């Protein structure tokens, strides 16, 4: 595992730009394509997208969520993001999952960088809670989470971001939904996290056998 350095002043500009870009400039988002052209094949199951650099699998449907986009990536392999949606009554719960390679940032550093950009997307945004996050069943993963309230188009909104440090790879899960469905949304998000928690992104270079 790479040694993670605590932030002490300036963050490398490249890392900052990489994280703050919610939709990479060169990204593509193809909705409902059939047949699906998947550059991250081979599939592990029908409709799944695999990030070839980390081996992380994104099913077309999981824990009641449906994948929002067929592909969202900057094509470098180091900044890959997929969206999921789940309907609840007349509302939607939106999730964004990103897989990123960050050499000098731990989970809390990652969180602190994305926090201002996330807060800027809502009016009257305020921190509800923030701190270390324990991923059930995965004591090997260091994570940090922030939960927030704000307004979106005058509607009270609830949103959160969870940064996870896997070592070579870092991950980020951002959730967003109307505040009135908070209880149901939190339950749905926990189901999604539980469904993904068995996966561990890998650095393919570490899997090369040494003679």
């Amino acid at each position: 595992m790479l040694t993670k350095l605590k932030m002490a002043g300036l963050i490398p500009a490249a890392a900052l730009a990489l994280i703050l870009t919610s939709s990479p400039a060169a990204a593509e988002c193809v909705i409902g394509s059939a047949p699906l052209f998947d550059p991250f094949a081979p599939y592990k199951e029908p409709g799944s997208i695999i990030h070839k650099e980390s081996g992380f699998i994104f099913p077309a449907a999981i824990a009641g969520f449906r994948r929002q986009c067929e592909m969202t990536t900057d094509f470098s392999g180091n900044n890959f993001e997929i969206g999921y949606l789940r309907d609840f009554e007349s509302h939607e719960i939106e999730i964004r999952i990103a897989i990123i390679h960050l050499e000098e940032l731990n989970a809390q550093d990652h969180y602190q960088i994305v926090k201002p950009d996330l807060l800027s997307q809502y009016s009257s945004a305020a921190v509800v809670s923030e701190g270390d996050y324990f991923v059930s069943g995965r004591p090997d993963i260091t994570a940090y989470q922030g939960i927030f309230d704000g307004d979106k188009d005058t509607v009270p909104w609830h949103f959160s971001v969870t940064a996870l440090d896997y070592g070579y790879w870092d991950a980020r899960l951002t959730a967003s939904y109307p505040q009135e469905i908070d209880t149901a949304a939190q339950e749905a998000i926990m189901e999604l996290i539980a469904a993904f928690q068995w996966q561990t992104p890998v650095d393919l270079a570490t899997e090369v056998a040494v003679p």
Side-chain angles (χ1 to χ4, degrees):
M1 177 183 295
L2 296 176
T3 301
K4 299 284 183 166
L5 303 179
K6 291 288 185 181
M7 285 195 308
L10 299 178
I11 296 297
L16 182 63
L18 178 66
I19 299 171
L20 292 183
T21 306
S22 58
S23 296
E28 289 187 10
C29 179
V30 183
I31 300 176
S33 61
L36 171 63
F37 171 71
D38 179 11
F40 307 106
Y43 295 124
K44 292 294 179 66
E45 63 180 53
S48 289
I49 288 176
I50 301 174
H51 178 224
K52 66 179 180 180
E53 282 77 12
S54 70
F56 206 87
I57 304 167
F58 295 91
I62 182 170
F65 285 82
R66 66 186 185 281
R67 198 173 58 225
Q68 187 176 10
C69 300
E70 300 295 6
M71 179 174 65
T72 304
T73 180
D74 66 355
F75 300 104
S76 71
N78 288 332
N79 184 11
F80 184 83
E81 184 175 280
I82 286 287
Y84 283 90
L85 290 176
R86 179 170 173 173
D87 298 319
F88 181 77
E89 296 179 348
S90 59
H91 305 289
E92 286 184 332
I93 304 165
E94 182 177 7
I95 301 291
R96 305 293 302 178
I97 300 175
I99 302 294
I100 302 172
H101 172 50
L102 302 171
E103 292 190 10
E104 299 181 349
L105 302 178
N106 60 27
Q108 184 174 355
D109 298 337
H110 184 173
Y111 165 82
Q112 293 292 352
I113 292 177
V114 301
K115 175 183 172 182
D117 182 64
L118 184 63
L119 291 174
S120 71
Q121 299 174 30
Y122 302 85
S123 57
S124 304
V127 176
V128 174
S129 67
E130 56 185 1
D132 294 330
Y133 180 76
F134 176 71
V135 181
S136 178
R138 293 298 303 269
D140 57 311
I141 301 174
T142 302
Y144 200 89
Q145 183 183 76
I147 300 174
F148 315 93
D149 284 337
D151 292 337
K152 183 177 181 180
D153 299 327
T154 72
V155 176
W157 217 258
H158 205 68
F159 53 105
S160 65
V161 59
T162 305
L164 304 99
D165 182 357
Y166 288 94
Y168 182 87
W169 293 101
D170 293 73
R172 182 173 68 248
L173 187 149
T174 305
S176 173
Y177 51 85
Q179 196 172 44
E180 67 177 279
I181 64 168
D182 182 47
T183 300
Q186 288 194 42
E187 292 176 354
I189 293 167
M190 290 304 298
E191 290 177 20
L192 183 69
I193 292 175
F196 270 116
Q197 72 181 20
W198 61 272
Q199 296 200 61
T200 299
V202 296
D203 172 14
L204 296 183
T206 66
E207 294 197 331
V208 177
V210 178

